[in-house]
Amino acid sequence: APGATVARPPVGHVPAGTHVTADSLEYLDDRKLIVGTGNVLIEQGPDTLQADYVTINTVSQDVFARGHVVVRQGGKLWELEEFKYNLLTKVGNFGEFKAYVAPYYITAKESKRISTNEFYLKEVTLTTCEGDEPEFLVGAHEATLKGDHLRARGVRFYFGFVPFFYMPTM
């Protein structure tokens, strides 16, 4: 934003190699909390998190982000409204999201990162079609995404919104 000042948290309050900037950034010493508002950007190596509002607990390293949250990680792009994550363990709750993991567009009603390269997803759709009305998609009741491998249960294949095939697992 024009005229915005970028603030940084006090040294030693985030893990080494992590950089936090925002239009407004304050440290609440009594609660051990960094609070960022407006154009918040957290960089941890090549991975980034952008949001309208972020809190970081400097003891537990838990992050809560809200509002236009965008996470870029290892060539993957996640867009969501709320995000809970731990900077040290790299485990978190992505909630409902949209993501692009080339060449797939993925949506889920619920999601959790359960390890550094594994996600648990509920009510998932997967398609190579861009836009809100894909010509072809695969839906699943639940799935795990580990690296580039997806395992799913309750799998349904659709042309448009018409189901044409069901598989219990994939």
Side-chain angles (χ1 to χ4, degrees):
T5 58
V6 176
R8 295 185 183 276
V11 174
H13 289 288
V14 293
T18 302
H19 303 284
V20 182
T21 58
D23 290 343
S24 171
L25 196 61
E26 61 183 306
Y27 180 64
L28 308 176
D29 191 41
D30 60 326
R31 294 175 47 202
K32 306 297 184 216
L33 204 63
I34 296 169
V35 179
T37 307
N39 298 306
V40 182
L41 175 63
I42 299 175
E43 298 171 289
Q44 195 173 43
D47 302 336
T48 63
L49 178 145
Q50 295 172 274
D52 295 336
Y53 174 84
V54 172
T55 62
I56 304 170
N57 181 304
T58 60
V59 175
S60 67
Q61 298 298 307
D62 288 325
V63 174
F64 171 75
R66 155 177 95 222
H68 304 101
V69 179
V70 177
V71 177
R72 286 181 178 84
Q73 182 179 54
K76 297 175 176 81
L77 172 69
W78 307 78
E79 296 177 3
L80 44 151
E81 279 304 309
E82 283 192 359
F83 176 73
K84 294 177 184 173
Y85 186 72
N86 186 282
L87 292 171
L88 297 175
T89 64
K90 300 188 185 305
V91 173
N93 183 344
F94 285 48
E96 185 172 351
F97 75 88
K98 291 181 183 180
Y100 179 69
V101 180
Y104 302 105
Y105 295 89
I106 303 171
T107 64
K109 295 289 181 194
E110 292 179 39
S111 62
K112 293 180 183 178
R113 184 173 187 178
I114 53 180
S115 72
T116 56
N117 71 339
E118 188 173 5
F119 296 86
Y120 170 77
L121 312 171
K122 257 189 129 165
E123 300 305 323
V124 183
T125 64
L126 176 77
T127 183
T128 56
C129 303
E130 192 173 350
D132 292 334
E133 296 183 19
E135 293 177 20
F136 173 80
L137 69 89
V138 177
H141 176 66
E142 62 183 4
T144 55
L145 177 63
K146 187 171 186 175
D148 293 334
H149 301 287
L150 182 77
R151 289 196 174 277
R153 286 194 273 174
V155 180
R156 302 162 312 277
F157 293 81
Y158 294 86
F159 280 124
F161 294 102
V162 178
F164 71 92
F165 189 71
Y166 173 80
M167 290 177 66
T169 59
M170 181 171 102

